[in-house]
Amino acid sequence: MPTLPSLQIGQHTARYPIIQGGMGIRISGAQLAAAVANAGGIGIISAVALGLNSTYFDITQTNGRKRREQFFEANRLALIDEIRAARALSPNGILGINAMVVAQDYETLVRTAAEEGVNLIISGAGLPLQLPSHTAAFPEVALVPIVSSTRAARIMCRKWERQYGRLPDAFVVENPNTAGGHLGAKLEELGDRALNAEQVIPELVAYLHQEVGQSIPVIACGNHWNRADIDRMLALGASGVQIGTRFITTDECDAHIRYKEFHLHAQPEDVVIIASPVGMPGRALRNAFVEKVIADSPDLEKRCFTSCLHTCKCRDEQKYYCIIQVLDKAARGDIENGLVFSGSNAGRAKRIMPVAELMAELVA
């Protein structure tokens, strides 16, 4: 079997074409990102709501405006801590963040990450049309939008080239039919074969070569578990893969051990699609909380906590649930009352292993 190629994104070259997915809240933090970077991949810290359970935030604050201001500042300070901790663990590795466009403090988090010296910023949950303006003073930081279609990539390229005189340094192409967490497709679109990697990746690669005239790396995301999956994506024209779910069952994953064990003991039939206050469907593991969501139970708490999102049906329509609270519960080990996101590969892990061992298996 041939050796896997390296992956160059902007000015940064990883030994292996593997990006670890950014999973929040505190599923992929400093420990996981640094371990992946040290093993030759690209380590990603999820920047979402890091301040929620930090010393910077007083959760008992009752004044709504002050609570929001304190929460956003806590997110900024906690992100700085996380990036510095990851860099201390991986002085020479390639590290980045994943930031959600839909977050109210998106611009602040992106600027903070650039100031702290991350190598790249991956951005999804909406099209990051203004992302270059937030990092203009840091041209060495690679910018990587997440898209689900060639149409979305075309919009990004035209907007960025016209307004900022630059192009994305890479694209992460999410397959909504298999990826975990919030999905870049409407509920009624899920299952459409036109969204599969076999359709989108060759089409996007051809567009970038033929119309844009640039060799912009395309990173496949969704349903990648082993070396055969990586080789399959490379054969389609991708330059690398982004893997999330498989890194959850590792020693260095920043989530609580109960969260990891819940993934470890999951079965494929436990993976379900649920509604989210963000306005996108999500792929998650079935538990008591998810059962309530599916049933639209009146027992769901529908109180907005910090108005953290630009679009939030919990805040605006009193529907569903507060997304950051349930993600945080799960990450801290309350896997029955929290939301446990997962890709379609849940149930395939046999044990919890070190990241170095997993990376060696992926590239062998």
Side-chain angles (χ1 to χ4, degrees), residues 127-129 145-161 166-168 170-174 200-201 203-208 211-212 216-218:
L127 290 181
L129 296 176
I146 301 175
V147 297
S148 297
S149 66
T150 300
R151 177 180 176 276
R154 182 181 288 110
I155 292 171
M156 297 294 308
C157 288
R158 290 176 176 174
K159 171 75 171 181
W160 283 23
E161 197 162 31
R166 65 164 296 172
L167 293 165
F171 283 103
V172 169
V173 178
E174 177 192 80
V200 178
I201 289 176
E203 181 184 81
L204 177 54
V205 170
Y207 161 73
L208 294 172
E211 296 187 43
V212 180
I216 299 174
V218 172

Side-chain angles (χ1 to χ4, degrees), residues 211-249:
E211 296 187 43
V212 180
Q214 299 286 337
S215 296
I216 299 174
V218 172
I219 312 301
C221 168
N223 202 34
H224 307 126
W225 191 260
N226 53 31
R227 173 64 189 269
D229 293 333
I230 298 173
D231 288 339
R232 182 167 54 89
M233 292 301 104
L234 297 183
L236 290 173
S239 297
V241 298
Q242 178 174 287
I243 299 175
T245 299
R246 186 146 197 212
F247 281 107
I248 291 172
T249 49

Side-chain angles (χ1 to χ4, degrees), residues 175 177-180 222-225 245 267-268 271 283 342-348:
N175 181 351
N177 292 325
T178 56
N223 202 34
H224 307 126
W225 191 260
T245 299
Q267 300 299 316
V271 181
R283 184 168 282 109
S342 174
S344 58
N345 273 317
R348 296 182 66 179

Side-chain angles (χ1 to χ4, degrees), residues 26 45-57 67-85 97 103-116 118:
R26 293 191 178 276
I45 295 167
S46 172
V48 60
L50 289 173
L52 186 58
N53 271 288
S54 71
T55 57
Y56 305 115
F57 182 60
R67 183 168 64 237
R68 284 193 298 274
E69 292 174 354
Q70 187 186 71
F71 176 66
F72 293 144
E73 177 62 6
N75 288 343
R76 186 185 72 84
L77 295 173
L79 177 59
I80 292 172
D81 289 349
E82 210 68 24
I83 292 171
R84 291 179 180 178
I97 68 158
Q104 295 268 29
D105 55 347
Y106 169 72
E107 180 178 344
T108 296
L109 296 176
V110 165
R111 289 184 186 277
T112 298
E115 290 167 358
E116 287 298 312
V118 297

